[in-house]
Amino acid sequence: MSPPAIVDRQIASTGSPLPKQPVLASWVDAVLAHFPEERRTEVTIRIVDADESQSLNRDYRGRDRPTNVLSFPFEAPPGIELPLFGDLVICHPVVLREALEQNKRLEDHYAHLVVHGTLHLLGHDHVDETDADIMEQLERDILATFSIADPYLPVQDMSGGSGERHIDSEDERLDP
């Protein structure tokens, strides 16, 4: 079994409500429970406003717009072992907008993004269909432990039409 997660919660957003540190840690712990051999347990989760998210997304991914979550895995120098996973940067205004558009509870959407981002820190991705299916099933299984519905099921959007839930509304299965 993995040791409990250590989450450094950083707030660089004027938005509210924001998830508290123990809740963020519980979501990371739920991911780690699926990887009992994992010894890296420390992650920084930084909650930001749109300008910082857009700047990071532009500089590191070449996309000049804010996005819901960015994952930055930590790569230790050769021969050095540290318990660090890396950093997650979550954009509160984007998460809030997506939760409203997708008719989701804000906390449930935050949980999904923390789980999604933590899986990225562990090396999972969704570049091809097979990897995406594996990653999405892990997300469903982990979120179910919190009684959170499948985030990929179609939902009735706020305008009355049917909408698809995607991790990033513009990129669908691409890394948000």
Side-chain angles (χ1 to χ4, degrees):
M1 180 174 192
S2 294
I6 298 170
V7 173
D8 176 22
R9 175 182 179 255
Q10 296 180 357
I11 303 301
S13 174
T14 57
S16 68
L18 302 175
K20 301 290 186 206
Q21 190 279 338
V23 175
L24 294 168
S26 73
W27 296 331
V28 175
D29 280 333
V31 174
L32 292 175
H34 281 73
F35 302 92
E37 71 287 349
E38 184 59 57
R39 292 294 168 244
R40 295 173 300 160
T41 59
E42 295 182 26
V43 62
T44 296
I45 299 177
R46 182 172 174 84
I47 301 172
V48 302
D49 283 331
D51 56 344
E52 184 171 340
S53 175
Q54 182 168 347
S55 176
L56 290 168
N57 201 24
R58 181 189 59 243
D59 294 351
Y60 289 94
R61 296 182 63 229
R63 296 181 180 162
D64 194 15
R65 63 178 172 80
T67 191
N68 51 24
V69 62
L70 292 164
S71 302
F72 297 96
F74 174 74
E75 295 181 27
I80 297 184
E81 290 188 35
L82 295 171
L84 305 175
F85 267 122
D87 302 336
L88 300 179
V89 178
I90 300 175
C91 181
H92 181 73
V94 172
V95 175
L96 181 61
R97 177 182 48 83
E98 289 176 347
L100 290 170
E101 289 172 355
Q102 298 170 17
N103 198 23
K104 295 165 101 171
R105 286 185 28 180
L106 181 60
E107 186 168 315
D108 291 354
H109 196 37
Y110 262 106
H112 182 204
L113 296 173
V114 169
V115 167
H116 183 87
T118 303
L119 287 170
H120 276 306
L121 295 177
L122 286 168
H124 288 270
D125 67 43
H126 39 79
V127 174
D128 67 46
E129 194 72 25
T130 301
D131 290 340
D133 290 342
I134 292 167
M135 187 169 175
E136 288 175 9
Q137 190 57 54
L138 278 167
E139 291 172 45
R140 287 181 189 98
D141 294 345
I142 293 164
L143 292 170
T145 67
F146 296 98
S147 300
I148 297 174
D150 180 348
Y152 295 104
L153 288 177
V155 294
Q156 203 70 14
D157 68 25
M158 298 305 277
S159 65
S162 178
E164 290 285 322
R165 286 189 184 171
H166 296 290
I167 195 67
D168 186 311
S169 58
E170 292 183 30
D171 293 337
E172 293 188 4
R173 291 180 123 172
L174 297 177
D175 187 19

